[in-house]
Amino acid sequence: MNIVISQPMLFPWVGMLEQIVLADVFVNYADVQFSKGSFTNRVQIKDRTGSRWLTVPLEKFHLGERIDQVRPCASTDWRGQHLRKLEQAYEEAPYAQDMLVLVRTVYEADYANMGALALASMQAVCSYLDIPLSAKLRDSVELAVPGRNSDRVLAIVRQLHGSKYITGHGAKNYLAHAEFEQHGITVEYMNYAMLPYRQLHGAFTPFVSSLDLIANHGPASKQYLNPQTLNWRQFTHE
């Protein structure tokens, strides 16, 4: 059984969607410390000037607060600002309206915290692309597994009876790969395909929101997902 554990991301890039496709169980990891500069509350899009950020501003929070504790700002119209930026950036895209309806649907609701908003955005994108995220979703809070860093990740995978843990590149610096193997769990890293697709505004870049793909290719977007992994030894050259 393939286990993926990830912090929720705002309208995530295609590489995150590929990771979700590979998961038999996807653990929403929102009870961990929020990091400034993460993709929980911001993502890049493309417009005529190049790549730019869509950022959800946050209420004041204390260092160390969890993703499921920080809250979107209630005093600014960031929803309207985002929609205007998206309308301007993708006015020439053939499926711009599909993308805008998707974003409006997410933004019509209120969310208790940034983690809930980011997860809702992921579920909306997956629903549009017919990726069954909701059916494989578990929440780390409900699993109630204690610990930190690599130890906690391993404990979660074991509790879920996983045989393979599939992770993004950021885990390279903290994951105790050998300990996973001692428990019969294979660790594999994403080998992001980054398949090029027809994209507005200059040279292709994969490092933008999946909203960009949807605006340009609509229901056919899923064909540009090509999930692949590498064993941790190949990835780390050990």
Side-chain angles (χ1 to χ4, degrees):
M1 182 182 291
N2 296 343
I3 309 297
V4 171
I5 302 171
S6 176
Q7 298 177 14
M9 299 181 183
L10 184 69
F11 298 111
W13 78 301
V14 168
M16 183 73 253
L17 301 182
E18 291 178 332
Q19 201 168 338
I20 294 170
V21 168
L22 291 175
D24 294 309
V25 178
F26 180 92
V27 178
N28 178 46
Y29 207 43
D31 61 345
V32 294
Q33 183 174 331
F34 173 79
S35 299
K36 285 187 176 181
S38 74
F39 293 100
T40 299
N41 71 317
R42 63 178 195 152
V43 70
Q44 291 189 90
I45 62 169
K46 278 184 78 181
D47 66 10
R48 290 180 177 82
T49 64
S51 296
R52 64 186 298 181
W53 292 100
L54 279 187
T55 302
V56 176
L58 302 173
E59 300 286 1
K60 288 184 178 179
F61 63 93
H62 304 293
L63 189 66
E65 280 193 273
R66 304 182 335 190
I67 292 169
D68 58 6
Q69 293 173 326
V70 297
R71 292 178 293 119
C73 183
S75 60
T76 61
D77 182 26
W78 52 267
R79 292 175 174 84
Q81 293 168 10
H82 285 193
L83 287 164
R84 286 189 290 274
K85 287 179 181 178
L86 289 166
E87 287 170 355
Q88 292 166 5
Y90 295 104
E91 61 182 348
E92 297 175 8
Y95 296 95
Q97 285 308 308
D98 281 22
M99 179 271 292
L100 290 168
V101 167
L102 187 158
V103 176
R104 287 193 191 101
T105 300
V106 174
Y107 282 179
E108 280 171 357
D110 290 320
Y111 300 94
N113 59 73
M114 189 61 230
L117 168 56
L119 180 61
S121 78
M122 295 171 70
Q123 290 175 305
V125 168
C126 287
S127 178
Y128 180 87
L129 296 177
D130 196 26
I131 299 170
L133 172 58
S134 296
K136 59 180 77 174
L137 185 65
R138 299 291 299 273
D139 198 287
S140 57
V141 172
E142 295 173 2
L143 294 174
V145 175
R148 297 180 64 235
N149 300 329
S150 184
D151 290 342
R152 188 180 187 212
V153 171
L154 174 57
I156 290 173
V157 176
R158 292 186 66 198
Q159 179 166 313
L160 295 169
H161 306 291
S163 56
K164 184 183 294 183
Y165 176 55
I166 299 173
T167 185
H169 295 181
K172 178 182 177 182
N173 298 321
Y174 75 87
L175 217 57
H177 305 96
E179 290 185 20
F180 281 74
E181 290 191 338
Q182 288 168 11
H183 291 281
I185 299 165
T186 302
V187 177
E188 298 201 356
Y189 283 83
M190 291 300 297
N191 184 23
Y192 299 118
M194 296 188 282
L195 293 179
Y197 57 84
R198 186 185 69 253
Q199 192 180 62
L200 298 177
H201 312 311
F204 174 75
T205 174
F207 302 112
V208 290
S209 170
S210 50
L211 296 176
D212 181 275
L213 175 60
I214 290 171
N216 284 297
H217 293 277
S221 296
K222 198 174 179 180
Q223 68 182 294
Y224 295 99
L225 274 58
N226 184 23
Q228 305 171 49
T229 61
L230 287 172
N231 182 270
W232 71 268
R233 285 188 171 84
Q234 289 177 278
F235 183 76
T236 60
H237 307 295
E238 288 189 17

